[in-house]
Every structure is written in structure tokens, then in C-alpha cells.
Amino acid sequence: EPEVTQTPSHQVTQMGQEVILRCVPISNHLYFYWYRQILGQKVEFLVSFYNNEISEKSEIFDDQFSVERPDGSNFTLKIRSTKLEDSAMYFCASSEAIGTGGLFGPGTRLTVL
Amino acid sequence: EDQVTQSPEALRLQEGESSSLNCSYTVSGLRGLFWYRQDPGKGPEFLFTLYSAGEEKEKERLKATLTKKESFLHITAPKPEDSATYLCAATLVSKLIFGQGTTLQVKP
């Protein structure tokens, strides 16, 4: 069964450093998403991406964040200058069509020291 | 403001003791209501999508239902392996709005 994969599973970084989180969505899916979940809190929407453009982004997704689909398979989330409060699980998801939720990857645990 | 609220926050059941989880939503332009299962340290695992009031979906011991303001996840004769956090989410075109989840513990 096809699945969304994410690397790394755990990333530890120093405050102020740049990190790139990587995702390989399901191959025939056209819509891609990033969500995050701070420990003990709700899963929060960050950004959706379609046709090489951002479709929608939340207030959390400020200028420190960017997304890219550098090739036909990868989808990345970059945080330019990490803050302590960026520590969270980051989930990538993909879907075939708009409004169909999405299938989620296993997540990357980001720890900012 | 669009919002999804789940209750209870935590639920402890004995094996075989049926119950229901509630998800209430105030969302304008709802496209669909989703249920996911999340195990500790893992990503949400898709369970069901409901698109219109009156719709029901079933999978093994789980049944999801939808009204105009709420969705219920009914668990019939649960087993310990059903222990997890169950997330409800409403979709608005290109994003999901999640509730805080109900953590279910089923004791043998």
C-alpha cells in the first residue's frame, strides 16, 4: 500500500539554525500539506501546496518558513532560523484531490535547543 | 471562527464495553469530516471521511456518523488494540482543522 515517507525521523538543531524537513508524497497525489503538532496540543495546519504554488497558509507559516517541490518526488519544508517554539512533530500529508483530507506521513520530531 | 471540539478528552473502557466519542464543529463551508487514529509518536492514520448529514461509515468495531453539527465515532466491543487517540478534523477546501482528540484506553 502506498504511503507518505518523511526524513529524518528526528532532527535536533540549535536555535537560529536552518533545517529542512523532507517528505515523499504518494506518487499520484497532487496536493501536499505540512502540519505540526506541539507536544500535547492539537495538530495545526501550516501550508497547502498545489501545482508548484502555495494554495493556503496559516498565520504560523511566516517568513521563516518556506516550501518547495524541488523534483518530481520530494516536498520540503524549510525553517530558516529556528526558534525554541518550533520544537514539534511535523507531519507531511498528500491527497489526490482538494477537500479530501490527506494521508499523513510518520512525522519528523524537531527539537530546537 | 472555525472550530472543532472533541469530547471527552480521555476515555477508559473495559474490553467489550461499547461507547461513543463526540466531535462537534462550527465550520463555514464544510467540505468533509474526517476521523483519524493516532498512536503515540506516530502520524494520524486515516479512518473515515463523511461528506453529508446522515452518512455512516463502518470499519471493524468502529462506526462514524455525521449530523449537521456533530459527528460520532461509535466503538462496539472494543479491544485493547483499539487504545489510541482518535482525532476528528473538518476540511475547508485546502486544509484540515483538527480537534484536540480523545485518548481512548481499553483495559483487558
Side-chain angles (χ1 to χ4, degrees):
Chain A
E1 189 170 332
E3 57 184 22
V4 176
T5 59
Q6 291 186 242
T7 54
S9 57
H10 191 189
Q11 174 92 46
V12 181
T13 189
Q14 294 292 324
M15 190 170 56
Q17 294 297 304
E18 175 183 288
V19 294
I20 297 176
L21 310 183
R22 292 182 168 79
C23 167
V24 178
I26 293 170
S27 60
N28 64 335
H29 285 186
L30 301 176
Y31 297 84
F32 314 114
Y33 315 86
W34 284 101
Y35 290 82
R36 80 172 185 189
Q37 187 176 31
I38 295 170
L39 188 63
Q41 297 188 22
K42 292 184 182 185
V43 177
E44 301 174 287
F45 169 76
L46 292 178
V47 66
S48 58
F49 191 85
Y50 169 71
N51 201 25
N52 282 321
E53 290 184 345
I54 290 175
S55 305
E56 188 171 356
K57 59 183 180 179
S58 70
E59 293 177 353
I60 303 167
F61 195 88
D62 61 21
D63 292 345
Q64 293 301 310
F65 291 86
S66 62
V67 288
E68 193 178 32
R69 187 152 163 83
D71 53 42
S73 60
N74 290 283
F75 180 49
T76 61
L77 174 69
K78 182 194 290 186
I79 308 175
R80 288 190 182 81
S81 179
T82 49
K83 305 171 189 169
L84 295 175
E85 54 265 36
D86 293 328
S87 294
M89 281 287 281
Y90 287 80
F91 297 111
C92 174
S94 67
S95 66
E96 277 186 281
I98 200 74
T100 57
L103 297 179
F104 283 73
T108 293
R109 179 174 300 282
L110 177 65
T111 302
V112 182
L113 302 176
Chain B
E1 183 187 348
D2 297 320
Q3 200 165 13
V4 175
T5 304
Q6 293 185 245
S7 62
E9 286 190 13
L11 182 62
R12 290 182 184 177
L13 299 174
Q14 288 296 129
E15 184 172 1
E17 180 186 0
S18 302
S19 188
S20 295
L21 282 54
N22 176 265
C23 170
S24 63
Y25 59 92
T26 51
V27 168
S28 54
L30 180 76
R31 296 281 286 262
L33 192 293
F34 292 76
W35 284 97
Y36 289 87
R37 169 187 170 133
Q38 186 176 32
D39 292 302
K42 303 285 180 66
E45 175 190 344
F46 172 76
L47 292 174
F48 302 110
T49 309
L50 301 164
Y51 288 108
S52 56
E55 191 174 357
E56 298 183 353
K57 294 271 180 76
E58 282 190 68
K59 180 181 178 179
E60 296 181 356
R61 295 177 292 283
L62 301 177
K63 182 167 85 170
T65 62
L66 182 65
T67 72
K68 287 186 178 178
K69 292 184 180 180
E70 295 177 298
S71 178
F72 293 92
L73 185 66
H74 307 278
I75 303 177
T76 302
K79 298 182 178 181
E81 53 261 42
D82 295 322
S83 298
T85 297
Y86 291 85
L87 304 176
C88 167
T91 186
L92 301 170
V93 189
S94 58
K95 69 181 180 185
L96 288 169
I97 298 175
F98 280 86
Q100 75 273 33
T102 293
T103 299
L104 172 66
Q105 184 179 31
V106 182
K107 299 208 163 197

